[in-house]
Each structure stands twice: as C-alpha cells, then as structure tokens.
Amino acid sequence: EYMGENIFFQEQKNMEKILIRVLDDTLGKYLHGLNKQNLEIGVWKGEVNLRNIELRQDALAELQLPIHVHRGHVSTISLSIPWNKLSSQPVIVNIKDVYLLALPTDTSSWTFKDFDQFAYATKKRQILEYDTLKSKQLEASLESVEEKKKSEEKNGWIEKLVTKIVANLQVTVENIHFRYEHLPCRLGSHPEVTVLNPMSFGFTLKSLKAYSTNQNWEPTFNETLGLSHKVVNLDGMSVYGSSEIPSFTELSEKEFEIAMCKFSTLKFDDYLFLPSNACLKANIVLDPAKTPPFTEVLDEIDFSLDKIIITINDSNYRNILRVVNFMSHFGRQHKYFMESRELYQA
C-alpha cells in the first residue's frame, strides 16, 4: 500500500512538472511578467489564480503582420486541477476580461536588420519546437534498452492521462474585446497606403464556453480515449468598424478597462457583423502517441449561427480597403528587402 501511494505521488509530481512547463511555455508567449514560482505553488495546490496580467507587446508576432500590441490586459486566469480525481473529473479553466488594443507598426525606416528580426520573431516558436524535439531524440538514443522500456511504460501512462485531461478540458472565457486602431500614419513616400483619418475595427465576444459531451451532445465526462465530442458556445459575438470613435491609446489604465468593457455606444451602421450567438460541434480523434495537442483527425464539424446580419457602409468599405492596402504594401516591402539581402549576400 505504501509503495502504491509513493508511485502515485511520484506520478503526480511528474504531471505537475509537465503542467508547469506547458503553462509556462504557452502563457509565457503572450503574457508579460508571469511569475513561475507562483505558478508552481498554484499547480501544487491544484488552484492556479493569476490576476491583472499584461499582454506582451509581441503577442501577435506569429500573425506575421505589421501590427503590435499597444496595450493588453487579462483580469483573471484560474485553473482548477483535481489531482486525486483526474481520471474522473475535468480540469477547469476560467478566463475573464481579455482586452487587447493593437496598432500598426511604422516600418518606413526599417533596415535589413529590422526585417531580419521580424522574420526571426515569426519563426522563433518553430525553432524552439525543433530544438526540443532534437533534444528528446538525443536523450532517447542515449538510454539503455531497460531504461527505454521503463521510460515508455511511464510515458505511456502519462500520455494516456494527459490525453484524457485534454479530452475533458472545460474552458470558459468572459468578456473578450480585440480592437485595432489605424491612426494617421504614412509609410515612406507611398500615398496609397497613407491613412488620413483614424479608424478602428474590433471583435467582441460576451462569452465562450467549451466542454465535452456524449454522442448526443449532452455534457459529460469522457471516460474512453479515442473519439471525443466537443461543443464550443459563442455568445454575443460581433465585429465593428468606425472612424468616429475616439482613440483608446491615451486613456488611463482604469479608463481603458471601462471603455473596453462597456463598449455599447455603437450605432447600427458601425457594425460589420451584428451581435449573434454561435455553436460549434466537433468530433475529435485523440491519439496518446501523438505530441500535443494529440489531435489526429478532426472528424466532423458543425457550425451554426442563430442569425446572420452583415452590414457595411461607405466609410467602413473605404477603411477596409485602406487597411488591406497597408498590409499588402508591407508584404511587398518585406519581400523586396529580403530578396535584396539575398542578392547582396550572393
């Protein structure tokens, strides 16, 4: 009995290390000032609570677009981990108040070095993942036959448990507002990409809820590995665009949170996609042998909206064209600098 408890404790410690690493790697890419020590204590207790976390300025780097986070804020991130009942109860994630304000990046004075850094930032994740994979392969090649057998048995148990956790993960996100402001700016001597009037586009979502179900799409805990049924409910989803809303860039921290939270002063014409509710249903095949996220096949997807009302006025139409022009000019500029550098090096 003592040996059994000791083995369970050791496996829990292994799971804690895995979870801490995953959280640190995942959240660390987007959140600024993440306290790893507090994260470790929270995971050990089974309750992780992060409050008033700022988003990193390069949180959008993977989009490979000339934009950056001017200000970003997450009020709370909480995780509930039932260590003693992981095989029968879900890990619950609650996130509240995700606010992000993005601005265009002025690249008119960029040099070869700046474009190199931009390209590196977009590939950094791929490089880290490749290095991690090669490190694991090297460790595996150095293990003896007996050590490999023990390692495979232990990892097999952990992989199955982690797969079950992923299959039953419950996520709730409340109050999401992503806002992009294109302030007056000029790129070099290209008037076609000069934005004369400040304009903004935004995406808002009242809540997102993701959970596991049975084959009849009723909430349940999935005991078996393999096919997993997932439902994602999106409530109060909308997209807006306007050239009349004052900029949020100069607001104080408190004013910014209030403005992002109570964003209900829009006129009908400002909406591109009026508030609507949506539901996504998916059958996902999970394979413990695969690396995260363990998804082998996305078998079926059903997406439904309770209503679709799309509007676009002359102002928003012109603003969309301006932003598209801005993005496409950056693409041409980036391509020119990279090709010029290659020719210079050759």
Side-chain angles (χ1 to χ4, degrees):
E1 184 179 349
Y2 172 77
M3 289 182 63
E5 291 180 355
N6 190 44
I7 292 172
F8 175 80
F9 178 76
Q10 186 60 43
E11 296 299 347
Q12 179 178 328
K13 296 300 290 182
N14 291 333
M15 284 296 300
E16 288 175 4
K17 291 178 181 178
I18 292 172
L19 185 57
I20 290 169
R21 187 175 71 245
V22 170
L23 289 174
D24 190 42
D25 291 344
T26 304
L27 299 179
K29 292 188 301 181
Y30 306 106
L31 303 180
H32 177 71
L34 194 63
N35 190 318
K36 191 172 182 180
Q37 184 178 1
N38 290 343
L39 195 62
E40 291 175 354
I41 294 172
V43 168
W44 178 71
K45 290 181 177 179
E47 293 288 340
V48 176
N49 292 292
L50 306 174
R51 299 184 183 278
N52 300 320
I53 307 296
E54 298 298 318
L55 293 176
R56 292 168 57 100
Q57 191 176 31
D58 60 352
L60 302 176
E62 292 180 4
L63 296 179
Q64 301 186 36
L65 295 173
I67 60 177
H68 64 276
V69 176
H70 175 74
R71 182 182 289 180
H73 175 85
V74 181
S75 291
T76 60
I77 300 176
S78 64
L79 282 80
S80 178
I81 311 159
W83 285 118
N84 297 329
K85 299 179 180 179
L86 280 175
S87 59
S88 59
Q89 292 185 6
V91 172
I92 299 174
V93 180
N94 291 308
I95 303 173
K96 190 174 181 180
D97 301 337
V98 183
Y99 303 140
L100 183 151
L101 174 61
L103 298 179
T105 300
D106 188 353
T107 61
S108 58
S109 59
W110 275 23
T111 62
F112 289 118
K113 183 179 179 181
D114 295 313
F115 278 102
D116 280 339
Q117 290 177 344
F118 177 83
Y120 173 74
T122 60
K123 295 178 180 178
K124 188 176 181 180
R125 180 181 180 182
Q126 297 175 352
I127 294 171
L128 291 174
E129 288 178 350
Y130 176 79
D131 289 343
T132 301
L133 178 62
K134 296 300 290 184
S135 176
K136 288 181 178 178
Q137 290 176 345
L138 179 61
E139 290 176 2
S141 65
L142 296 175
E143 287 183 339
S144 66
V145 176
E146 187 176 344
E147 287 174 337
K148 281 185 180 180
K149 187 176 179 180
K150 291 181 180 179
S151 179
E152 287 174 359
E153 290 176 354
K154 183 180 76 172
N155 290 338
W157 181 87
I158 292 176
E159 286 167 354
K160 288 180 180 179
L161 182 57
V162 172
T163 303
K164 183 174 283 189
I165 292 171
V166 172
N168 291 284
L169 190 66
Q170 288 187 10
V171 180
T172 300
V173 186
E174 298 179 9
N175 301 329
I176 300 173
H177 186 177
F178 298 154
R179 178 178 171 86
Y180 171 74
E181 290 188 3
H182 209 128
L183 305 175
C185 64
R186 178 184 296 273
L187 291 185
S189 58
H190 298 270
E192 73 276 10
V193 295
T194 299
V195 179
L196 302 176
N197 299 312
M199 56 188 178
S200 61
F201 294 97
F203 169 82
T204 63
L205 185 63
K206 186 177 180 180
S207 70
L208 177 153
K209 295 181 179 179
Y211 53 90
S212 299
T213 71
N214 57 24
Q215 61 184 3
N216 297 320
W217 305 109
E218 299 167 340
T220 189
F221 187 88
N222 192 349
E223 294 284 354
T224 59
L225 298 177
L227 186 62
S228 176
H229 307 281
K230 283 287 185 181
V231 170
V232 179
N233 290 322
L234 306 170
D235 296 333
M237 178 174 59
S238 71
V239 178
Y240 68 85
S242 177
S243 295
E244 299 178 2
I245 302 171
S247 173
F248 289 8
T249 55
E250 301 300 324
L251 298 179
S252 67
E253 185 175 341
K254 187 174 182 179
E255 290 171 337
F256 174 75
E257 290 183 27
I258 293 173
M260 294 292 278
C261 178
K262 298 181 179 179
F263 201 70
S264 57
T265 59
L266 291 178
K267 298 181 299 183
F268 178 85
D269 288 345
D270 289 329
Y271 280 109
L272 297 171
F273 182 88
L274 266 72
S276 179
N277 300 328
C279 180
L280 183 148
K281 297 177 180 178
N283 294 324
I284 303 174
V285 178
L286 300 175
D287 184 359
K290 301 290 183 180
T291 54
F294 311 99
T295 304
E296 186 182 56
V297 180
L298 203 58
D299 189 54
E300 293 180 13
I301 297 179
D302 178 57
F303 184 75
S304 59
L305 283 164
D306 64 352
K307 60 182 178 181
I308 303 176
I309 304 178
I310 299 174
T311 67
I312 184 166
N313 55 36
D314 291 341
S315 176
N316 277 332
Y317 178 72
R318 289 192 298 269
N319 289 342
I320 290 172
L321 291 182
R322 286 174 175 174
V323 173
V324 170
N325 245 338
F326 169 74
M327 298 296 178
S328 61
H329 170 71
F330 172 78
R332 295 193 301 271
Q333 188 183 30
H334 187 204
K335 182 179 179 181
Y336 167 77
F337 270 88
M338 299 307 289
E339 290 179 348
S340 299
R341 187 195 64 173
E342 290 176 1
L343 288 173
Y344 176 78
Q345 290 176 342

